Amino acid sequence: TSMWRLLSCSALAVGLAGLASCRSDVAAPPPTFNLAVATDKPQYSLATDSIALVSLANRSDRAVYLPMDVYVVCERLRDGNWADSFAWFSVDGVTPFFWLSPGAAVTDKLRLWFYLPNQPGTYRVRYFVYDDPELQTLAPLEERVSAPFTLTP
């Protein structure tokens, strides 16, 4: 009977351990991001500058994903709100995304004289960066926007 009791207790312990590991009410921790968005200068002049270099660096320990169509936009500050969001290009490809490996960066060129002619003001750049290839979990806004930059005549 002691052998029977030992087997019964072992089976019960294994069963309870299995149930505990299958709990569905425990939420997965939210993904963490470590991204850096920057422009090459804090101020540009329409009279002397033709291109703003904009970069996104993935300082995370895993890849992040960007949508294949529009993954970066420029926004203008109007009356205290970011508005007039526009993309200056789109990307086409075989998959719906491309990834940015850990430690990698992408640099894009915003042609100021073509996209912002005669539009001095304050701007920022916003990227669309996701945690997953299904493009379901967007990085927090503060992780994927540049510091504001000014454009003068």
Side-chain angles (χ1 to χ4, degrees), residues 28-50:
T32 57
F33 295 87
N34 188 355
L35 307 170
V37 178
T39 57
D40 61 325
K41 297 174 14 177
Q43 182 173 330
Y44 300 91
S45 167
L46 287 168
T48 59
D49 297 309
S50 60

Side-chain angles (χ1 to χ4, degrees), residues 114-136:
F114 187 78
Y115 290 102
L116 304 174
N118 301 316
Q119 295 183 44
T122 301
Y123 294 86
R124 74 175 181 184
V125 173
R126 178 169 48 99
Y127 280 88
F128 297 95
V129 182
Y130 295 83
D131 178 58
D132 55 294
E134 293 79 23
L135 307 178
Q136 297 295 312

Side-chain angles (χ1 to χ4, degrees), residues 64-71 91-99 128 130 132-136:
V64 294
Y65 301 87
L66 293 87
M68 219 9 129
D69 52 7
V70 173
Y71 68 86
V91 183
D92 192 14
V94 177
T95 62
F97 65 87
F98 69 97
W99 65 88
F128 297 95
Y130 295 83
D132 55 294
E134 293 79 23
L135 307 178
Q136 297 295 312

Side-chain angles (χ1 to χ4, degrees), residues 33 35-40 52-58 64-67 70-75 85-89 91 98 100 105-110 124-130 137-147 149:
F33 295 87
L35 307 170
V37 178
T39 57
D40 61 325
L53 294 178
V54 181
S55 64
L56 167 67
N58 180 11
V64 294
Y65 301 87
L66 293 87
V70 173
Y71 68 86
V72 60
V73 295
C74 189
E75 298 173 313
S85 178
F86 71 91
W88 64 90
F89 67 92
V91 183
F98 69 97
L100 197 57
V106 61
T107 300
D108 299 300
K109 295 178 181 179
L110 173 60
R124 74 175 181 184
V125 173
R126 178 169 48 99
Y127 280 88
F128 297 95
V129 182
Y130 295 83
T137 307
L138 194 59
L141 183 62
E142 65 273 7
E143 288 273 344
R144 50 190 183 86
V145 295
S146 71
F149 63 90

